[in-house]
Every structure is written in C-alpha cells, then in structure tokens.
Amino acid sequence: MSRRRLLGTASAAGAAGLALGGAGGAWAHSAAQEEPPTALTTLGSTTVPFHGTHQAGILTPAQAHGHLLAFDLVPEAGRKQAAALLRRWSEAARRMMAGERPSAGERDTGIALDAGPSSLTVTFGFGRTFFTRTGLKDRLPAQLAPLPDFSADALDKKRSDGDLWVQIGSDDALVAFHALRALQREAAGTARVRWQMSGFNRSPGATDRPRTVRNLMGQVDGTNNPKPEDEDFAGKVFVPSSGEPSWMAGGSYVVQRRIRMLLDDWDKRSLDEQEKVIGRRKSDGAPLSGGHEHTEPDLEKRGTDGAPVIPGDAHIRVTAPETNGGAAMLRRPFSFHDGFRDDGAPDAGLLFLAWQADPLRGFVPVQRKLDRGDALSRFLRHEASGLFAVPGGPRKGEYVGQRLLEG
Amino acid sequence: MSRRRLLGTASAAGAAGLALGGAGGAWAHSAAQEEPPTALTTLGSTTVPFHGTHQAGILTPAQAHGHLLAFDLVPEAGRKQAAALLRRWSEAARRMMAGERPSAGERDTGIALDAGPSSLTVTFGFGRTFFTRTGLKDRLPAQLAPLPDFSADALDKKRSDGDLWVQIGSDDALVAFHALRALQREAAGTARVRWQMSGFNRSPGATDRPRTVRNLMGQVDGTNNPKPEDEDFAGKVFVPSSGEPSWMAGGSYVVQRRIRMLLDDWDKRSLDEQEKVIGRRKSDGAPLSGGHEHTEPDLEKRGTDGAPVIPGDAHIRVTAPETNGGAAMLRRPFSFHDGFRDDGAPDAGLLFLAWQADPLRGFVPVQRKLDRGDALSRFLRHEASGLFAVPGGPRKGEYVGQRLLEG
C-alpha cells in the first residue's frame, strides 16, 4: 500500500482540520540506512498547522499522549526575556509540528528521529502572575480573575497556576517527550518548570467508535460537548476578533483541573448505581431516558414509580446547558494514571481541560452547580487547578503572544 | 477500505507471531448504537494468543504501553489461595487478550468497552519469596538465586522483588489500564500490589523504521538483540522442554531494572562525546567503525591517531557477546517518564527487561562487565531490581503456573 494511498484514505475518512504531511522529505530516509522504508502511516505522518486563527491543540482531535506544564519566570527575567522565550518556543514548536529534522550541528536529543510528528501540537498560555512579573498588569484580562473556591476543592498550590502554560499532545509518546525536553531546554535561564502532568487518551485505531471517549470510570465522556458545526460554537469557545483585550482575538481561556477519581469506591457500586450517578447507560452512553448516545436526555421523564428516570442529582442533569443558562465549554481532557498512592488507591483520574471564551460563562457557573448537588462529585477530588489565557494562533513570522508582548 | 484489506496489509507487513483478530463478534456493535462502525484497524483488532509454548509478552513486539507490577501474598494466603488466584488471573487474561466482552451481569469497569484488545498481553512470573510463602521451597529454581550486588546499584527495596510479577502490554492505554484494574480486583483478599511501574514505546505507525527502537537518550537501542531467526535463539531465551525444573519448560527468567537516565548531564554532552560513549552513530545507529545499523562493529579498527574508533569503554564494546563468553539476553524494555524529581531533573529512563534461559549466563556476566568499565554507566542509576521465573505458556484449559502449583 503506497503512502499516497494511506494519506488519501485518512483524508477520505474525515480527519477534519488536519493538514496531512505532504512533502515527506523532512524526515525521509538518509541513504546510509539499511532498512527499506515501509509505508508511512497516517498516524506518523499527520501534521497539524502551527499558524492559524486559533492555536493548535484546541480543536485538534485529542491525541493519545499529552503533557501539561507550567513554568515560572526566574527572578532575573522580565518582559524582554519572556518575549525572547516565546519567540524561541514558537519557532521550536513550528518546526517540530511540521516534522522538520534538526539541522546539522544543531543540539537535539534525537529522541524523535525516525518518527513523524504524529499529530504533534504545542499550545502556549499565560497565567495571571505572568502579567505582574512582566510589568503588563494593565493588559491583564478580566477573564483571568481567580476562580472561586469550591467546597470540594483540595488544591495543591504547588501543582496549580503558574506564569506560563504549555500543552503538548502527540500520538507518539517519544515525540511528545522530545518536544517536552526541547521546550525545557529553550527555557533554561528564563523559566523553570513549576509542575508537570502527563495523560493519555485512546490510541487512534483502537476503537471503531472514534468519536466516543471513555474515562477511567468506564463512562462515555464528552457526548454533550459543543460541536464545531453548532451555530454558536466559536462564540462559546473563542474570543471574537473584536473582543477585549484585543491581543486575545482568536484566543481562548483554558481551565485545567487535576481530578482524581476514587476508583476503588466507584468500582464497588453496582452498574445500576453508577448509571444513576451519571444519568447515562454505561454500555453505550445513551441517556437513561432512552435512545442512543446522542439522543437528547428527557429530564422530565418519570418511571413507573413516579421518580425521575434521570435522578435529580445525576451528573448530566446538573451539567445540562439548559439548567445552566446555556453555559458551555469545550472539554478536551486527558486521563492520567500515576501509579498507586501511599494509601493503596490508584492515583488516577482526569486532567480536565475546558476551553471557553469566558470562564465566568463556562466553567465557573457549571462547577458552582456541581459543587452544590452533583452525585458524581462524591467520587472525585479536585487536587490542582489553573486558569490560563491562550492567545490566538500566530500569523506567519509571528510568535505566540507577540501581540501581548510587543503590541 | 475494508477491514479485510487492513488485516491483510498488516499480515503482509510481517506482524510475525501475531494472530489477527478474526471473528470480530466479541466487540462488535450493539444494535442500539448510533454511529456507523468505521473500519477496524489492525491496531485495535490485533490479538495475541494466550495459549502456547511460551507466555505472550516475550516474543510479542513491544507494545506502546506497558505496566509492570509486583504483588505480595497477604499473610493469610498460602499455596491453595495462590493457585486459585493464578487460575482467576489466567482466565481474565485469556478473555481480555481475546477481546471478549464482559458477560451480562459480570462486574467490569467498562474502561475497555468499544476498544479492541490492541495486542494486549499479560505475562505472569514468580519471585524467590513466592516459594517460601507457599511451602514450595523444594521447587525453587537455582536460577532465582539473588542477583549479585553491583557497585552502581542504588536500589529501592520497596520497588524491587515481590512474590508475583505481572507484565501488561497493549497498544492502547485504556485497554492496558482496564487489564491492570481487572487483575487487581481478582487479587483482592489474596495479594496486594507491592509496586507498579508504567512505561511506553513508540506507537505503531509513528515511524517508517519499525524495527528501530530509540530510548530517551535518543540512541538507537536493541540492535544487537538475539533474533528469532538466530540458530541458538531459543536456547538463550527459553528453558528447554527437557530443562530443570520441569515446571519451567518453555519458560524464561526475566530481570527487571528501573534505570534512571541522568538526561540533563547526557544532553549537555556533544554529539561526538555521546557517540563515543555508545560506540554508535546517533543518527542511524551504525557502529563508529562504519556501515549501517546492522553492520557488525569492527572492534579492532583504529583511527588515524592510532586509537580504537570504538573506544575501550564504549557501551557496545563492553556488551558485545564476543567479549562476554557469548552471554546474551533478549531485551524488551519500556521507556518510563514519571515527571520531574524534587531536584528538578527528569524522573525518566528505561524499564529494562531482559529475558534469558539462565540469568547467570545472561544478565549477570554482562552487568558485571558494565559495572567495571562502561562509559554509559556514568549516566545511569539502577534504582530498582527484580528477578522472576516466568513459566511456559499454558495449554488450553490450563492456568499459568499450574505445573508448579499442582505438579
């Protein structure tokens, strides 16, 4: 099967929003190699454009591997050094995402050699503290106001917040690790890693239901996400071109939460109990009121006993946009699994990532409602939190954040 | 593209030793689902047989995701409970590897629903302490004698050894996590997790050089591994059918080491320095004496300065079978990356797994030589260690270890 054939197939299969790596020369074989090249598959050869209205890694289908990091500027670094770092980071991200090989004599760990970019994306954001640290307090967006405290929070400050935020995603673990090391090297002397979390999603090709995502509770997740074909999708997720502050045009605000799942407790519940907590069937994600995964839940429907089929505290009732004044956010999470805790429970759950034009009309009202009466919350612990301003995508020749740092 | 076409392609591409999932009924769509099924890809549908001369997960191409766990029997459990556990574990492994859906009413986390087995393998082994704990001391293989101390060891006892050893591999992270949770549930009341480590390899399809493996130093790794087509391959890796103890016929001994790489130190070295430490070119893995990755290194070759082209302490010289009395082992590692350490260095490296018929003719002599004068060792820390007897594969109706526990 020729490479052209495979690429053509992927395109026909509807890899929407992806530009497929065409040239191939960037990581083609050197003449000295012995093995004959086999057909490149779409997994390796898929590239996501670095330039565009929005940064990559928001609308990109969630990759199999993700790293999330926050960096803090070192005390000696100010606005000038931060701008230089964003310029270096942007150039490194652009090249790695395009699958360009390191040039001769360039320092490179070599970890990604032989591999295609495998849908690599790198996304950059700014935390509230960045603006104070760089003398840009007058440009701090109102949307970066600290999130309110929620009663179920048990947040670890050391794993929360930060000056700069980086999201790396790739369908290959070594490509993702290579990107992490390359970005960390570029930061040396300017910013230090504050925290890092890693997660995963289903591998491309592992399922024949590629739109269905399951979390580590075994539950279908993300069914009710706003979809790009929805009429008001862009307005919910992205800052409009006329929006304020102007340097955020095309950008989005991301809320990240490390949500540990109490899986030992959860797995002890019967299937019936679990389904009532969520409001959906576990097998296929259909609402308990009937139909299939994408059937609108009937929140009014009552059983023969007169009780609502979808209980009053069911997760899908509490989070339904119609019960939240239309609040909506685009969730694009990774699962995480960091082994076992000292108490023997799995240290596993969801790296929740929610994208929205304004957290006060997205995450905050929904989480407030969840905090008051969500059956699912009893099985969750919010352990870390961050809110970051993710500016729009760079134009050619521009670096991410240039309109903030030089505007 | 039809499923048949994809399966045929994978077969032609030489997925040696793999039985491709044929029936498909086990995880076919239920009628209630809305989305039309897309073509299953080989990644999801590939199954590895549970039964056979050897256990799966030794000759199986290394999967993208791996979990390694040790369990200790609880004080109340003896031989009978251990046998019952191995029977439950074997049945669970068989079913999950075949991609069988949980039956109605069966407790299952549901995490693997929708996904194919994705080359799932589960491999079971016994540590030295298992034999004392179960009154089977007379069946303890001489090959399980404790490994000698090496000067570079800084072993954490809590992450070393253990009564029972489990290796899980899959090309899908959720399938691997599902297997881990299922096996842990079966162990409840009989054995507790002693330690767990997780790792990864390149994703299938990420590279067009599928036989080339890179580690987190960016170095091509495993070039010199014994290959199934080698004349004495089986004798090096597996206990022969006439071997002792007889319950280990078809089995193998696995040495596991958590080897942290001092990546910050390593990445500061020039390419030239790094290549001299290894003895191979970083770009393509060719020995410094010339040729391509699979060219035999010329250990005698000298440069114009009269010095050996492959330095005296180069890793490939110290580990060359011809300098070790022919000692050989099959390495099938996973890389690991557990974030950053408190000192800011990456907690990353190699979950080294070496398979051999006898550790005293495999790992031990090679590690002794490395311990004395290997340039690479300066960049490595051995932090945990284990040695386990992995019995042969089960026949139909048999469970893993039955010949030990009931023989």
Side-chain angles (χ1 to χ4, degrees):
Chain A
M1 187 177 301
S2 70
R3 183 174 174 210
R4 181 180 303 273
R5 178 67 178 276
L6 278 162
L7 292 174
T9 305
S11 186
L18 299 183
L20 295 166
W27 50 288
H29 276 258
S30 81
Q33 291 171 0
E34 180 197 29
E35 292 172 26
T38 60
L40 303 178
T41 75
T42 50
L43 186 139
S45 62
T46 301
T47 61
V48 184
F50 175 69
H51 301 102
T53 311
H54 314 301
Q55 285 193 63
I58 305 172
L59 299 183
T60 316
Q63 299 97 333
H65 301 273
H67 297 303
L68 299 152
L69 298 98
F71 289 79
D72 283 338
L73 293 170
V74 299
E76 307 79 43
R79 175 172 169 179
K80 193 177 147 193
Q81 290 76 18
L85 173 58
L86 265 298
R87 186 184 288 280
R88 291 195 300 275
W89 270 357
S90 293
E91 173 61 6
R94 183 195 66 72
R95 290 177 53 184
M96 292 188 290
M97 286 170 60
E100 291 183 15
R101 280 178 82 99
S103 48
E106 183 190 339
R107 290 202 74 90
D108 182 82
T109 59
I111 300 164
L113 288 175
D114 315 319
S118 309
S119 301
L120 175 69
T121 59
V122 184
T123 319
F124 302 103
F126 301 100
R128 184 177 173 83
T129 49
F130 180 83
F131 297 83
T132 355
R133 289 280 300 108
T134 52
L136 289 166
K137 233 178 158 175
D138 56 325
R139 300 198 178 175
L140 176 71
Q143 291 84 348
L144 279 191
L147 297 174
D149 293 329
F150 300 104
S151 69
D153 286 358
L155 304 181
D156 177 358
K157 295 278 171 203
K158 284 189 206 149
R159 292 193 288 181
S160 298
D161 306 320
D163 293 345
L164 290 157
W165 179 82
V166 179
Q167 173 190 254
I168 297 166
S170 172
D171 283 329
D172 182 73
L174 285 128
V175 168
F177 185 79
H178 172 259
L180 185 155
R181 292 291 290 166
L183 297 174
Q184 201 197 350
R185 189 182 59 236
E186 296 294 350
T190 304
R192 286 199 198 97
V193 174
R194 177 182 171 90
W195 51 254
Q196 183 221 321
M197 302 177 196
S198 302
F200 54 87
N201 282 300
R202 189 138 273 163
S203 296
T207 175
D208 55 356
R209 297 182 70 199
R211 289 183 61 180
T212 297
V213 173
R214 280 191 195 267
N215 59 34
L216 298 189
M217 288 176 149
Q219 216 61 50
V220 171
D221 202 347
T223 303
N224 214 12
N225 244 349
K227 287 160 192 63
E229 58 267 29
D230 295 349
E231 203 181 332
D232 50 351
F233 176 78
K236 282 174 174 162
V237 179
F238 295 110
V239 177
S241 55
S242 58
E244 283 299 326
S246 60
W247 63 266
M248 271 295 285
S252 185
Y253 294 89
V254 65
V255 172
Q256 176 180 334
R257 311 279 285 188
R258 185 187 203 265
I259 304 180
R260 182 162 59 87
M261 295 170 168
L262 307 185
L263 291 178
D264 286 342
D265 292 351
W266 176 254
D267 291 345
K268 274 180 204 139
R269 306 298 158 132
S270 70
L271 182 65
D272 182 60
E273 285 176 284
Q274 291 182 352
E275 292 184 335
K276 284 188 170 142
V277 165
I278 304 292
R280 292 188 181 277
R281 278 210 305 255
K282 195 164 195 176
S283 59
D284 61 359
L288 293 183
S289 49
H292 52 67
E293 181 188 341
H294 294 284
T295 303
E296 196 67 31
D298 179 356
L299 300 174
E300 306 304 320
K301 186 169 178 179
R302 287 172 184 272
T304 48
D305 60 354
V309 173
I310 297 173
D313 60 356
H315 186 67
I316 64 165
R317 181 187 294 273
V318 182
T319 57
E322 52 265 45
T323 69
N324 285 297
M329 49 194 167
L330 177 68
R331 287 164 292 143
R332 187 182 183 276
F334 294 89
S335 290
F336 75 88
H337 171 214
D338 295 336
F340 289 95
R341 290 158 50 91
D342 290 341
D343 62 7
D347 191 8
L350 198 70
L351 299 176
F352 173 94
L353 290 163
W355 298 89
Q356 59 249 293
D358 181 354
L360 290 176
R361 293 186 293 119
F363 174 76
V364 172
V366 176
Q367 187 60 26
R368 274 220 180 93
K369 277 203 71 177
L370 288 173
D371 206 34
R372 281 199 295 267
D374 169 41
L376 181 59
S377 297
R378 295 197 300 271
F379 301 94
L380 306 177
R381 291 291 177 273
H382 287 239
E383 299 187 328
S385 176
L387 168 60
F388 304 94
V390 173
R395 290 182 284 261
K396 297 226 163 154
E398 216 185 21
Y399 63 86
V400 175
Q402 185 165 343
R403 282 164 256 170
L404 165 65
L405 287 154
E406 300 183 21
Chain B
M1 188 178 299
S2 72
R3 182 177 174 206
R4 181 180 303 273
R5 178 66 175 276
L6 278 162
L7 291 175
T9 306
S11 186
L18 298 184
L20 294 167
W27 49 290
H29 275 258
S30 81
Q33 292 172 1
E34 178 197 29
E35 294 171 27
T38 60
L40 303 178
T41 75
T42 50
L43 187 140
S45 63
T46 301
T47 60
V48 184
F50 175 69
H51 301 101
T53 310
H54 315 301
Q55 285 193 62
I58 305 172
L59 300 183
T60 315
Q63 298 97 333
H65 300 272
H67 297 302
L68 299 152
L69 298 100
F71 289 80
D72 283 339
L73 293 170
V74 299
E76 306 78 43
R79 175 173 168 178
K80 192 178 147 192
Q81 290 75 20
L85 173 57
L86 266 297
R87 185 183 289 279
R88 292 195 300 274
W89 271 356
S90 294
E91 174 60 7
R94 183 195 67 71
R95 290 177 52 183
M96 292 188 290
M97 286 171 60
E100 290 184 13
R101 280 178 84 102
S103 47
E106 184 190 340
R107 290 201 74 88
D108 182 81
T109 59
I111 300 164
L113 288 175
D114 314 320
S118 310
S119 301
L120 175 68
T121 59
V122 184
T123 319
F124 301 103
F126 300 101
R128 186 178 171 82
T129 49
F130 180 83
F131 297 84
T132 356
R133 288 280 301 106
T134 52
L136 289 166
K137 233 178 159 174
D138 55 324
R139 299 196 179 177
L140 176 70
Q143 291 84 349
L144 277 191
L147 296 174
D149 293 330
F150 300 104
S151 69
D153 286 358
L155 303 181
D156 177 357
K157 295 280 173 202
K158 282 189 208 149
R159 292 193 289 181
S160 298
D161 308 319
D163 294 345
L164 290 156
W165 179 81
V166 179
Q167 173 189 256
I168 297 166
S170 172
D171 283 329
D172 182 73
L174 285 129
V175 168
F177 185 79
H178 172 259
L180 185 155
R181 292 290 291 166
L183 297 173
Q184 200 196 351
R185 190 183 57 233
E186 296 295 348
T190 304
R192 285 200 198 97
V193 174
R194 176 183 172 89
W195 50 256
Q196 184 222 319
M197 303 178 195
S198 301
F200 55 87
N201 282 299
R202 189 138 273 163
S203 295
T207 175
D208 55 356
R209 298 181 69 200
R211 290 182 60 180
T212 297
V213 173
R214 281 190 196 267
N215 59 35
L216 298 188
M217 288 175 151
Q219 217 60 50
V220 172
D221 202 346
T223 303
N224 213 12
N225 245 348
K227 287 159 192 64
E229 57 267 30
D230 296 349
E231 205 182 329
D232 50 351
F233 175 79
K236 282 173 174 163
V237 177
F238 295 109
V239 177
S241 56
S242 60
E244 283 297 327
S246 59
W247 63 267
M248 272 294 286
S252 185
Y253 294 90
V254 65
V255 172
Q256 176 179 335
R257 312 277 284 187
R258 185 187 202 265
I259 305 179
R260 181 163 58 89
M261 295 170 169
L262 308 185
L263 290 178
D264 286 342
D265 291 353
W266 176 255
D267 291 345
K268 276 180 201 137
R269 307 296 158 134
S270 69
L271 182 64
D272 183 60
E273 286 176 283
Q274 291 182 352
E275 292 184 335
K276 284 187 170 140
V277 164
I278 304 291
R280 294 188 179 275
R281 278 209 305 253
K282 196 165 193 174
S283 60
D284 61 359
L288 294 183
S289 50
H292 51 67
E293 180 188 342
H294 294 286
T295 304
E296 196 66 31
D298 179 357
L299 299 174
E300 306 304 318
K301 186 170 178 179
R302 287 170 185 273
T304 48
D305 60 354
V309 172
I310 297 172
D313 61 355
H315 187 66
I316 64 164
R317 181 187 293 275
V318 181
T319 57
E322 53 266 43
T323 71
N324 284 298
M329 49 193 167
L330 177 69
R331 285 164 293 143
R332 187 182 183 278
F334 294 89
S335 290
F336 75 88
H337 172 214
D338 295 335
F340 290 94
R341 290 157 51 90
D342 290 340
D343 63 6
D347 192 8
L350 198 71
L351 299 176
F352 173 94
L353 291 162
W355 298 88
Q356 59 250 291
D358 182 353
L360 290 175
R361 294 185 293 118
F363 174 76
V364 171
V366 175
Q367 188 60 26
R368 275 221 178 92
K369 279 203 71 180
L370 289 172
D371 206 34
R372 282 200 295 269
D374 168 42
L376 182 59
S377 297
R378 296 197 300 271
F379 300 95
L380 305 176
R381 291 289 178 274
H382 287 239
E383 299 188 328
S385 176
L387 168 61
F388 304 94
V390 174
R395 289 182 285 261
K396 299 228 160 151
E398 216 186 20
Y399 63 85
V400 175
Q402 186 166 341
R403 282 164 257 169
L404 164 66
L405 286 154
E406 298 184 20

